[in-house]
Amino acid sequence: MKKLVLGLAATVALALTGSAQAQSKYPEKPITMIVPFAAGGPTDIIARIVGENMSKTLGQQVVIENVAGAGGTTGITRALTATPDGYTIAMGHLGTFSAAPATYPGLKYDPINGMQPIGLAGGTPILIVARKNFEPKDLKEFVAYVKTNTDKVNEAHAGVGSVSWTTCTLLKGQLGVPKLNAVAYRGTGPALNDLVSGQIDFMCDQIVSVAEQVKADTIKAYAIASTERSPALPNVPTTKEAGLPEYQIEAWNGIAAPKGTPKEVVDRLVDALDKALKDEGVKKRLLDLGTVMPSAEERTPAGFGALIKRDADKLSPTLAAAPK
Ligand code: MLT
């Protein structure tokens, strides 16, 4: 009997050593980072900038896969239900991790209790942007125009639960115009093309994808919904300066893995993200696009997890009751 127990213990020890060795060799093949929106939008842009540098640290390519649909929940579901081995991770955001659970009652993932946060990749301030020749000249005129033209104004968003949907839902709630003609896209990248070509009137979007277009004057920005102006767009007033102080919302993008991902693997991903965000070239590219660099705490799984929960608690009551 004693021999049998010892034999079993030896087998278990061997198996554990084997799995630890396998994990310490991680990664042995490319890692897929799922972006749950179309290419060219803010999530895709941040994932590609950060992922490229993480590939150098990890010694394996981080391959971006765009899996769009259902406000980002299709791609995040795929990532979070994958084998928890570190080879499938996701770049999500305020929408997919903090807003979607309140907007999709049957959601197949739980960002608070059923996910392994890796870390925040960047804060992404929200701008109210419009096609260049949209009648209202400034935010005050925009507010008055939207209130009196609810059946006429077209709003673009990236699906229920996305950041653009969430942040415009909050805006419309504050303006008392819960329903406008909303057009859903597979991401704000394609929506931005239609804004530039004048087919859509306005949207609420993350600074990362619109900054260049605002600078190039192909679209106009009424305001940034942050307490401070962005160094990337110093001429765009804050909502407070432009006459709508109650409209303040901070969006963000961050990386997560399926729950159950081994700690050694999580540590490698956390380290690779941290190194990417410390890299001067990466920092410059992100800052030029208006990204707010995450604090040391927010780059950790615990800090990022706390941010996801804080924003979910804040947004859930309003979003659960909002028209979909
Ligand atoms: C995108 O990458 O297209 C956006 O993050 C979509 C959104 O959530 O508005």
Side-chain angles (χ1 to χ4, degrees), residues 35 37-38 41-44 71 93 95 157-158 161-165 186-190 204-206 253:
V35 165
F37 296 99
T43 312
D44 183 69
H93 62 16
H157 64 67
S162 65
V163 163
S164 43
W165 178 87
R186 292 170 76 75
T188 54
C204 305
D205 200 9
Q206 296 161 265
N253 276 90

Side-chain angles (χ1 to χ4, degrees), residues 126-129 139 221-225 236-240 242:
I126 292 295
L127 284 106
I128 306 171
V129 288
L139 188 62
Y222 291 125
I224 184 165
V236 175
T238 64
T239 43
K240 185 171 178 208

